[in-house]
Amino acid sequence: ERLALIAAQELAARSQLAPQDPEPFIAALTLVNLWTVQYIAMCRYVNDDHSIAEVRIKVTNDVRRAAALIESGIATWHKNYC
């Protein structure tokens, strides 16, 4: 949570909004929680019978899928405010 607050402060400063405003706060939470997506994917694939290279590729793909889902919303906000 502390990392999300720091990220929200930085995003708010770039967009001239308050860190408590919804846009920088949700953007920060979303970006920081990509780490959670990565962790879940690592746990998911490392327990299967995959090589380290395969795990890396699968984890990267999962994180990219999650990022792609949120990218358009953050990109729209960034374009409008930053």
Side-chain angles (χ1 to χ4, degrees), residues 9-65:
Q9 290 171 347
E10 183 60 32
L11 291 169
R14 291 180 183 194
S15 60
Q16 299 177 344
L17 295 171
Q20 300 82 9
D21 283 338
E23 297 87 354
F25 187 72
I26 197 65
L29 284 173
T30 302
L31 293 171
V32 168
N33 276 300
L34 285 174
W35 286 102
T36 304
V37 171
Q38 181 183 27
Y39 176 76
I40 290 169
M42 286 184 348
C43 291
R44 178 175 159 192
Y45 297 120
V46 80
N47 292 329
D48 291 341
D49 195 26
H50 298 293
S51 70
I52 292 175
E54 290 171 326
V55 169
R56 184 184 61 80
I57 290 167
K58 289 180 176 293
V59 169
T60 299
N61 286 339
D62 280 8
V63 173
R64 285 183 178 158
R65 285 173 50 203

Side-chain angles (χ1 to χ4, degrees), residues 23 26-27 67-81:
E23 297 87 354
I26 197 65
L69 185 63
I70 62 174
E71 182 178 27
S72 63
I74 291 177
T76 300
W77 169 72
H78 188 268
K79 184 173 118 179
N80 291 333
Y81 289 98

